[in-house]
Amino acid sequence: MLKKFTSLFPLWAVLLSVVAYFYPEYFAPHKGLIVPFLSLIMLGMGVTLSVDDFLAVLKKPSVVVLGTVMQYTLMPFFAWIICIMLNLPTELMAGVVLLGCCPGGTASNVICYLAKGDVALSIVLTSVSTLVAFLATPFLTWLYIGQTVNVDVMGMLVSVVKIVLVPVVFGLSINYFFEEKISKIRDIFPAISALAIVIIIAVIIGVNRGSLESMGPLVLLAVVLHNGLGLAGGYGVAKALKLSETEARTIAIEVGMQNSGLSVALAIKHFTAAAALPGAIFSIWHNLSGAFLAGHWSRDSLHDDKSGKPELSGNPLE
């Protein structure tokens, strides 16, 4: 039941967003829940990780480095280009660029599994980009929009450490010392994370009820372009560098799917409520596009580019 609930995350997000749009008074007053709920999501991510996941980096260091570098070069650049092309207002520009400077999202691991990608690699890439975020996200945000918007780099760095790094490390420690007990209830953490992000999205929709009427279509266009370019760019660069089909799919999903919850929390704390709107809409859209892409890829049989023989999946569940 928990896995079914989690797999239907996009449906719950859309339904509760519609409710929040028509009844914003029930959600807007709870803006204070965003940061603690995101920390809860990061704690859940940490609990589902193990030391072995990080040791997997040693097996494919070049692929992990490549994926992480692409995460923090392609997505911020695409975000900035889209803002210039669409001539977005300053507050929306701040939100889109901040979104592009965030690490990979945890939902990418599920999408990667469905797309027949390398799940172990996906988990490592998400983990590494998340741990790097405390430096990369504030610096890149300042680099791209520091001349237009006042970016509190140190304040944002402290926020990312508190919201992301500390809960993930704490969760990892819990899993390390209480692995046997945690294994019995591990399935509950993705469900809690799904519920928390759905509530975060609804709160942002409620807070931005007025802005959605005037800027909603523009934000949606920016989000669709950003996600699409990330998926295509990640896959295209990986294939150009002769990576396997499995690795290319995994990197495409990791690059294209951002930790939108983090962008929402940072936007609320360091910019404006409107700047959180791109992240909220991205949370819904990237899961829908990811599910569609996974459905398409899951129907394909994987073959090694050189031998033509079936390629071994990195998915430990297969």
Side-chain angles (χ1 to χ4, degrees), residues 242-253:
K242 308 299 183 183
L243 268 64
S244 69
E245 177 67 19
T246 304
E247 292 169 335
R249 291 182 183 187
T250 303
I251 288 179
I253 292 168

Side-chain angles (χ1 to χ4, degrees), residues 22-273:
F22 288 104
Y23 301 98
E25 64 274 13
Y26 294 118
F27 297 91
H30 302 294
K31 192 167 66 172
L33 292 175
I34 293 174
V35 171
F37 270 34
L38 183 63
S39 295
L40 179 63
I41 294 170
M42 293 296 103
L43 175 65
M45 176 184 172
V47 169
T48 56
L49 295 174
S50 69
V51 175
D52 289 339
D53 293 326
F54 291 96
L55 291 178
V57 176
L58 301 177
K59 298 179 181 178
K60 296 181 178 180
S62 59
V63 178
V64 173
V65 170
L66 174 65
T68 304
V69 168
M70 288 169 64
Q71 176 77 56
Y72 285 116
T73 53
L74 293 183
M75 293 306 275
F77 178 71
F78 288 153
W80 180 71
I81 288 293
I82 289 168
C83 290
I84 299 299
M85 287 173 53
L86 298 181
N87 193 27
L88 294 183
T90 302
E91 54 190 4
L92 289 184
M93 181 179 186
V96 173
V97 169
L98 176 58
L99 175 65
C101 297
C102 282
T106 53
S108 62
N109 306 145
V110 178
I111 297 299
C112 182
Y113 166 66
L114 296 175
K116 295 183 178 179
D118 188 330
V119 178
L121 176 61
S122 175
I123 292 172
V124 170
L125 283 170
T126 301
S127 305
V128 171
S129 69
T130 299
L131 294 174
V132 172
F134 82 99
L135 288 175
T137 299
F139 173 73
L140 289 171
T141 304
W142 169 80
L143 182 66
Y144 277 95
I145 60 172
Q147 305 302 315
T148 307
V149 182
N150 182 31
V151 179
D152 180 9
V153 177
M154 285 305 300
M156 194 177 292
L157 188 153
V158 172
S159 294
V160 177
V161 169
K162 289 181 179 178
I163 298 171
V164 177
L165 196 59
V166 172
V168 168
V169 173
F170 183 53
L172 183 63
S173 301
I174 292 174
N175 190 28
Y176 180 77
F177 290 107
F178 305 100
E179 183 176 4
E180 187 174 339
K181 293 181 179 179
I182 289 296
S183 63
K184 299 176 182 178
I185 58 171
R186 185 167 282 129
D187 286 345
I188 199 174
F189 292 102
I192 292 174
S193 296
L195 179 61
I197 196 65
V198 165
I199 293 173
I200 288 174
I201 293 169
V203 170
I204 292 302
I205 297 297
V207 170
N208 288 283
R209 169 67 168 78
S211 301
L212 270 171
E213 293 182 350
S214 58
M215 298 186 293
L218 190 61
V219 176
L220 179 60
L221 176 59
V223 162
V224 170
L225 288 173
H226 189 223
N227 176 234
L229 287 172
L231 292 169
Y235 184 83
V237 172
K239 293 299 286 185
L241 294 175
K242 308 299 183 183
L243 268 64
S244 69
E245 177 67 19
T246 304
E247 292 169 335
R249 291 182 183 187
T250 303
I251 288 179
I253 292 168
E254 285 300 316
V255 172
M257 298 185 70
Q258 301 294 94
N259 188 334
S260 47
L262 177 60
S263 77
V264 165
L266 293 178
I268 286 288
K269 191 172 182 64
H270 296 283
F271 297 116
T272 64

